[in-house]
Amino acid sequence: MLPKLVVEKVWKKPGQGVVKINFNTTANGRKMSFGLVARDHDGFVLGGRAGVMDKNVKAEWAELHALEESISFAWTKNWLKLKFESDCVSLVNRLNRTKANFSTMGHR
């Protein structure tokens, strides 16, 4: 039996002057909703955005749309140093251009 590794999951501070944007989506039938929150290096909330769209898309495409909204939100605020955070493993792996995809769950 292999021992289970204990990993602490905590919010990591970005570097000085970096804005961290966390985005998330949900897709159900013909509706898609998204939300994003921008924080500075101390965890102070700088702003956010949320919306609902009439689009029939899969979860991965909805996450990609939320990333696009996050980029346009940062562009309107003139933020130069950004860090994006998402819970969509397949999107993160594709953007990081990793060779192996360690996602174990599919999308319904």
Side-chain angles (χ1 to χ4, degrees), residues 29-98:
R30 298 196 49 83
K31 297 269 187 192
M32 178 200 95
S33 59
F34 69 93
L36 61 99
V37 176
R39 297 176 183 258
D40 67 357
H41 62 276
D42 285 328
F44 184 75
V45 176
L46 300 173
R49 186 181 282 181
V52 177
M53 303 180 84
D54 288 325
K55 284 188 175 182
N56 189 10
V57 294
K58 293 185 179 181
E60 202 168 45
W61 284 101
E63 290 282 340
L64 188 62
H65 180 76
L67 175 62
E68 181 183 347
E69 286 288 330
S70 301
I71 292 169
S72 69
F73 180 69
W75 185 68
T76 59
K77 299 290 186 179
N78 293 325
W79 293 328
L80 299 177
K81 295 180 181 180
L82 300 171
K83 190 176 222 181
F84 295 101
E85 184 177 36
S86 174
D87 60 352
C88 184
V89 175
S90 59
L91 178 65
V92 171
N93 285 343
R94 288 178 197 211
L95 292 175
N96 286 335
R97 296 185 182 144
T98 58

